[in-house]
Amino acid sequence: MRATSLNAARRATDLESVAGGETVDVLVVGGGVTGAGIALDAASRGLSVCLLEAHDLAFGTSRWSSKLVHGGLRYLAHGEVGLAHESAVERGVLMTRTAPHLVRALPQLVPLHGRNPRAEPLVMAGLRAGDLLRRLARTPTRVLPPPRRVPAVEALALVPGLRRAGLRGGLLSFDGQLVDDARLVVALARTAAGFGAKILTRARVLGLDGGGAEVRDELTGEEFRVAARAVVNATGVWAGQLVPSVRLRPSRGSHLVLDGEAAGVTGTALTVGVPGAVNRFVFLLPQPDGRVYLGLTDEPVDGPPPDLPTVPESDVDFLLDVASSVLDRPLRRADVLGGFAGLRPLVDVPGAKSRSADLSRRHAVVTAANGVITVVGGKLTTYRRMAAEAVDRAMAERGLAGGPSRTVDVPLVGAAPPDRLATLDAPARLVIRYGAEAGRLAALAELDAAMAEPVAERTGVTAAEVVWAVRHEGALHADDVLDRRTRIGLVPAEREAAEPVVTELVARALDGVSS
């Protein structure tokens, strides 16, 4: 296995190789979770791979998720049993095999206020059905405990900010939560690089066909062609811009960033039913850095999808109003520290219901007339299955020689069992985000006292992490560090404060990589 580090020097070498005429087995367009997953799946089968991304890893939808690794409960409510089981299985794979360092068990509480004799048994029945999916997926209870009813005093201990008036207790369940979705994408890309995949960011595809792509290096302006035996379009909500025959119905999911202590939501998430809706909920999701993400919406989006979706004022009001219905102190706009929105690439199925929330989250793998294979739809949790299906299709249609998918047993960069991670000589914050590599980051900080200095006081992100992002995680610009390798950028005020220091550190680190 090759080194897994991604940096400017490796990018230059790999770009020179493909621009110079090398033909790869599989060309992947798109550096989100699906594209990175496809690159890993193909490379781990022994195929030569090149991934092209116009911006940066996890630039699009993959960094704007709720950071949840779903067990499929929502799909059960829509009668999609197969999809629900698939989601539960993939959640178990992430939590126990491939990325146990990036996914943790998240307790979730459904508060019970007032008297509603029908609601409680229905919700508990759903939670038990979700637990049945966990058992069928063979995810142990030590990883995800079964659901249970808790009394009011325990509900308040779990979520101090709950409205006390009329509180009868709560229904407690557990699901998977990513430490950070962008870190998952980076780990996938680096693991793929370890199997020999060429990962080229800032490489914009101008045209695509079954034999390769016309590409522009966004750093130099140079244009060239990458030749490939199979081409996979994994650009998500932007897939139709490269393959016009692909039809999507984008849906916007908005989140707000709050201070967890101020909201009274710390270690346990809150699930709040949307008044007047069936099987629609808003979530208050605590994060390791003390923030809380309040989401999410599910609204159709018309017109060309923007690179950076924004949260409309109507979504802000909706989320604050629904969440406040179960809190002791209503949330106000002054409590909002930041926000983000992502666009789901839902497949446009003829005859589907008009509401985007009613569209299936199933994925589709289709081949256009020009031979380009496109992967659309799906969810972050099931990226691995989507990737395997796309590579299977590429191998079958283009006659590529390679074995079956093996990613179910391929640990991602930094993966290690919890008991091993607990023995690392590194700060807990680093272990949570970097897994087995946390020790190397801690050692980097010890070599130079300046490396241990925080560049963002509230989050604790250090100079060592900025340098690490440039040397090993493919960061080429301060934005890559602020907005994706760390999540400093989720709070605009903190981003503004940290940007000058991060910009200087990135420039110095890039000089070191190039020299």
Side-chain angles (χ1 to χ4, degrees):
M1 191 171 183
R2 293 179 58 188
T4 62
S5 294
L6 296 175
N7 51 51
R10 181 167 184 168
R11 177 187 183 277
T13 300
D14 288 346
L15 190 148
E16 182 180 9
S17 178
V18 294
E22 176 188 351
T23 299
V24 297
D25 290 325
V26 180
L27 173 63
V28 185
V29 183
V33 69
T34 305
I38 293 169
L40 173 57
D41 187 281
S44 64
R45 300 192 199 203
L47 301 172
S48 59
V49 177
C50 177
L51 181 149
L52 302 174
E53 162 57 45
H55 299 286
D56 179 34
L57 295 171
F59 181 85
T61 303
S62 293
R63 64 168 157 150
W64 302 133
S65 76
S66 296
K67 318 297 182 276
L68 291 176
V69 178
H70 287 290
L73 183 57
R74 174 176 179 174
Y75 312 137
L76 273 184
H78 286 81
E80 297 185 289
V81 178
L83 182 58
H85 179 257
E86 178 181 276
S87 188
V89 169
E90 292 304 311
R91 177 185 63 183
V93 169
L94 279 163
M95 297 189 77
T96 63
R97 299 191 200 180
T98 60
H101 62 310
L102 293 177
V103 189
R104 66 179 184 123
L106 175 69
Q108 296 178 298
L109 185 74
V110 179
L112 301 173
H113 284 100
R115 295 291 174 186
N116 191 341
R118 295 183 59 190
E120 182 177 338
L122 282 174
V123 174
M124 181 53 85
L127 296 179
R128 286 176 176 150
D131 191 56
L132 176 60
L133 286 174
R134 173 196 62 79
R135 284 180 278 152
L136 291 173
R138 299 184 178 180
T139 303
T141 55
R142 62 177 172 77
V143 176
L144 287 172
R148 60 187 176 90
R149 191 189 193 283
V150 299
V153 64
E154 186 174 351
L156 286 169
L158 292 169
V159 186
L162 271 178
R163 175 163 54 84
R164 287 162 169 74
L167 182 65
R168 297 185 292 108
L171 304 179
L172 182 66
S173 63
F174 294 82
D175 211 341
Q177 182 185 37
L178 279 164
V179 170
D180 182 49
D181 43 13
R183 295 214 63 78
L184 173 65
V185 177
V186 171
L188 284 165
R190 289 185 58 200
T191 308
F195 282 100
K198 297 173 175 62
I199 308 296
L200 301 179
T201 59
R202 301 312 200 281
R204 181 178 298 276
V205 171
L206 306 176
L208 203 59
D209 57 59
E214 304 300 327
V215 187
R216 181 175 65 230
D217 181 354
E218 295 290 77
L219 298 183
T220 65
E222 177 189 358
E223 295 186 6
F224 55 92
R225 180 170 176 83
V226 177
R229 297 178 180 88
V231 177
V232 183
N233 174 18
T235 53
V237 75
W238 297 275
Q241 295 179 356
L242 292 175
V243 181
S245 60
V246 173
R247 295 177 58 84
L248 299 174
R249 292 173 63 180
S251 165
R252 183 186 64 248
S254 296
H255 296 77
L256 306 180
V257 182
L258 311 171
D259 181 86
E261 187 174 351
V265 180
T266 51
T268 299
L270 270 182
T271 301
V272 187
V274 175
V278 178
N279 294 322
R280 189 178 178 195
F281 300 91
V282 159
F283 304 95
L284 282 152
L285 303 165
Q287 306 300 310
D289 63 1
R291 304 296 192 199
V292 167
Y293 299 157
L294 167 58
L296 75 167
T297 59
D298 199 337
E299 300 296 332
V301 176
D302 297 322
D307 282 347
L308 292 174
T310 56
V311 180
E313 295 300 314
S314 57
D315 283 5
V316 175
D317 293 335
F318 166 77
L319 291 170
L320 292 178
D321 287 346
V322 175
S324 294
S325 68
V326 299
L327 297 176
D328 207 34
R329 183 182 74 82
L331 297 172
R332 300 179 295 271
R333 282 179 171 262
D335 295 312
V336 179
L337 304 175
F340 58 91
L343 300 180
R344 307 175 186 88
L346 303 183
V347 180
D348 188 359
V349 179
K353 296 179 181 180
S354 59
R355 289 184 65 247
S356 59
D358 295 324
L359 292 175
S360 173
R361 265 53 178 175
R362 291 185 182 277
H363 67 271
V365 179
V366 297
T367 304
N370 65 358
V372 174
I373 298 166
T374 297
V375 188
V376 290
K379 295 285 286 182
L380 182 148
T381 304
T382 57
Y383 80 87
R384 196 190 64 81
R385 293 287 292 271
M386 296 164 61
E389 187 176 331
V391 178
D392 285 344
R393 174 75 67 90
M395 290 174 60
E397 293 185 353
R398 311 301 282 191
L400 302 178
S405 177
R406 51 178 292 203
T407 51
V408 70
D409 291 316
V410 175
L412 304 186
V413 167
D419 55 350
R420 181 185 162 196
L421 293 178
T423 66
L424 292 178
D425 184 18
R429 196 189 67 79
L430 293 182
V431 175
I432 289 172
R433 294 185 60 80
Y434 298 90
E437 294 190 315
R440 294 174 62 190
L441 267 139
L444 181 63
E446 289 177 3
L447 289 174
D448 184 348
M451 289 288 216
E453 290 296 317
V455 298
E457 293 291 343
R458 177 61 178 76
T459 61
V461 173
T462 62
E465 291 170 79
V466 177
V467 173
W468 181 270
V470 174
R471 291 180 180 175
H472 303 288
E473 296 181 340
L476 300 175
H477 191 276
D479 290 351
D480 300 346
V481 176
L482 290 164
D483 299 328
R484 289 168 289 277
R485 304 307 181 277
T486 73
R487 303 316 287 270
I488 296 172
L490 287 177
V491 178
E494 292 178 2
R495 190 188 198 285
E496 183 179 1
E499 186 172 12
V501 178
V502 171
T503 299
E504 181 182 356
L505 285 168
V506 168
R508 287 164 50 190
L510 284 171
D511 285 342
V513 168
S514 301
S515 61

